[in-house]
């Protein structure tokens, strides 16, 4: 614990001309007396920490001293920028690399590693999972992750078809892992990791397309997918409260577009709109929670289903009040 604090103290002093004991104590979450003892320990260990006395004084490093805590490997440097995502690192098989990186914390990466943060962002994107879910890591995820980090072509079996892929990046979406890869050296596609039957890393490395933007690619594909499954339409009338809650119970983009295209509200503030949905079954499950804030107008079958459910609830609670 103390060793880590001493390392951080050296790095702080290395990054600034000088710091007061109070500033160091705040950064390191210790007392000023501890800072005094730590400075003495560093000096005795050969680190040239100098204390300027007086009101404007503080601690500084002399002689252009630079820490020798260097030696980060590329994998460690890239993993360092993902160290706030411990579960994802563990599932990708990078936990050891991240641990080694934290032990080798460096105030200034070597020039060859300056692109580590961008490199990491272009190989992994987190689309945060929803609550109340326990994501399950696919068995082949570590092998796929290794190929992504190392720019290695993989020979894979996906849904019983053999494919050769250039794996560009991983995405964790709602607890499910996806691979964004270039197939046949041409088009970029998305593959669910848990649907790979086999993955073998080849000895061939591919040259990355530097114009490829993983977050932008995923956002576009996710929006395209969301639109593709909205194959039905329903007509509903919503109260002001129902309109405000609609984007939180169904596809958000579709709901907002429908609300934007709705006509003017009636005298009670209700709006009528056409809403794209995946199916009548899914629409019932999603919208029933809005209760009396929503009225289904079309199709007739869905309206009848809501009416039947409402009658059953009325019967249930009506009997309880007698």
């Amino acid at each position: 614990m103390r060793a880590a604090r001493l390392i951080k103290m050296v790095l702080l002093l290395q990054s600034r001309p000088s710091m007061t004991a109070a500033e160091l104590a705040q950064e390191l979450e210790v007392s000023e007396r501890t800072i005094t003892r730590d400075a003495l320990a560093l000096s005795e260990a050969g680190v040239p920490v100098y204390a300027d006395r007086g009101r404007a004084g503080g601690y500084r490093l002399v002689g252009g001293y630079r820490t020798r805590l260097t030696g980060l490997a590329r994998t460690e440097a890239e993993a360092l920028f993902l160290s706030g995502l411990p579960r994802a690192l563990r599932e990708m098989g990078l936990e050891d690399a991240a641990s080694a990186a934290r032990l080798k914390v460096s105030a200034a990466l070597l020039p060859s590693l300056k692109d580590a943060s961008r490199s990491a962002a272009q190989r992994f994107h987190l689309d945060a999972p929803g609550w109340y879910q326990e994501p399950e890591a696919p068995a082949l995820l570590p092998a796929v992750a290794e190929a992504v980090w190392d720019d290695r072509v993989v020979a894979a079996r996906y849904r019983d078809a053999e494919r050769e892929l250039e794996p560009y990046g991983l995405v964790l979406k709602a607890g499910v892992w996806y691979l964004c890869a270039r197939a046949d050296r041409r088009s970029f596609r998305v593959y669910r990791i848990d649907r790979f039957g086999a993955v073998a890393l080849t000895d061939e490395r591919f040259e990355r397309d530097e114009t490829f933007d993983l977050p932008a690619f995923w956002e576009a594909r996710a929006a395209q997918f969301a639109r593709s499954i909205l194959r039905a339409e329903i007509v509903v009338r919503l109260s002001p409260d129902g309109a405000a809650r609609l984007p939180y119970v169904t596809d958000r983009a579709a709901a907002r577009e429908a609300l934007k295209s709705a006509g003017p509200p009636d005298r009670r503030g209700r709006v009528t709109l056409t809403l794209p949905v995946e199916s009548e079954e899914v629409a019932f499950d999603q919208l029933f929670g809005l209760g009396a804030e929503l009225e289904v107008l079309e199709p007739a079958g869905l309206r009848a289903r809501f009416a039947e459910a409402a009658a059953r609830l009325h019967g249930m609670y009506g009997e309880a009040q007698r």
Side-chain angles (χ1 to χ4, degrees):
M1 184 69 179
R2 190 189 185 201
R5 187 176 72 244
L6 292 173
I7 290 172
K8 186 174 181 181
M9 183 173 175
V10 173
L11 295 176
L12 286 169
L13 292 174
Q14 184 174 298
S15 64
R16 307 179 194 182
S18 69
M19 295 183 70
T20 66
E23 290 171 337
L24 285 167
Q26 183 177 3
E27 287 278 357
L28 300 174
E29 299 180 346
V30 294
S31 67
E32 292 185 34
R33 180 173 296 180
T34 298
I35 294 298
T36 301
R37 289 197 297 265
D38 285 352
L40 180 60
L42 287 171
S43 182
E44 291 175 348
V47 178
V49 177
Y50 181 77
D52 290 315
R53 305 296 179 182
R55 181 175 298 179
Y59 292 94
R60 60 187 175 86
L61 295 174
V62 296
Y65 178 85
R66 304 292 292 178
T67 176
R68 295 180 181 178
L69 296 170
T70 54
L72 282 177
R74 169 163 289 279
T75 303
E76 294 170 345
E78 291 171 336
L80 181 61
F81 291 97
L82 297 175
S83 59
L85 305 168
R87 182 173 189 132
L89 282 168
R90 184 170 61 252
E91 292 179 353
M92 287 190 292
L94 294 172
E95 187 175 30
D96 290 342
S99 177
R102 285 190 290 269
L103 291 174
K104 293 181 177 181
V105 175
S106 175
L109 294 175
L110 297 175
S112 61
L113 303 180
K114 288 296 186 182
D115 66 337
S117 61
R118 181 179 179 277
S119 175
Q122 287 303 323
R123 287 168 170 79
F124 176 76
H125 176 61
L126 174 67
D127 194 337
W131 288 352
Y132 317 121
Q133 296 184 33
E134 186 64 27
E136 201 169 301
L140 293 173
L141 176 60
V144 176
E146 181 182 350
V148 169
W149 291 114
D150 207 23
D151 295 340
R152 295 269 290 278
V153 175
V154 297
R157 186 170 71 252
Y158 189 78
R159 289 180 169 174
D160 297 326
E162 301 296 330
R163 305 168 189 267
E164 190 172 90
L165 304 174
E166 296 178 353
Y168 267 67
L170 291 166
V171 175
L172 176 59
K173 166 67 175 177
V176 179
W177 286 92
Y178 296 88
L179 172 67
C180 299
R182 186 158 61 180
D184 305 321
R185 305 182 186 276
R186 291 193 299 273
S187 58
F188 286 98
R189 299 180 183 177
V190 176
Y191 304 88
R192 276 186 61 147
I193 303 293
D194 58 5
R195 291 178 181 166
F196 280 108
V199 172
L201 278 68
T202 70
D203 294 330
E204 180 184 358
R205 284 180 168 80
F206 63 91
E207 191 74 25
R208 294 180 67 89
D209 180 353
E210 293 302 323
T211 65
F212 177 77
D213 186 328
L214 179 59
F217 171 79
W218 176 258
E219 184 179 359
R221 284 303 174 94
Q224 180 183 358
F225 174 75
R227 288 192 299 269
S228 71
I229 64 174
L230 302 179
R231 298 168 182 163
E233 288 185 342
I234 64 172
V235 180
V236 297
R237 181 182 292 132
L238 293 156
S239 70
D241 184 55
R245 291 165 55 191
L246 183 65
Y248 300 97
V249 298
T250 187
D251 182 84
R252 187 167 298 185
R256 286 176 175 166
E257 282 296 319
L259 288 166
K260 190 183 298 185
S261 303
D266 62 16
R267 289 180 299 176
R268 297 170 58 184
R270 300 176 304 176
V271 293
T272 300
L273 54 86
T274 300
L275 178 68
V277 295
E278 186 174 343
S279 66
E280 291 185 22
E281 182 75 25
V282 171
F284 178 82
D285 291 338
Q286 292 177 334
L287 302 177
F288 190 73
L290 294 180
E293 308 304 323
L294 171 140
E295 178 187 1
V296 175
L297 303 178
E298 297 177 17
L302 184 59
R303 179 179 175 86
R305 185 169 180 178
F306 269 82
E308 179 187 356
R312 290 174 59 193
L313 284 173
H314 178 72
M316 183 186 302
Y317 289 103
E319 291 177 1
Q321 291 177 349
R322 293 194 188 103

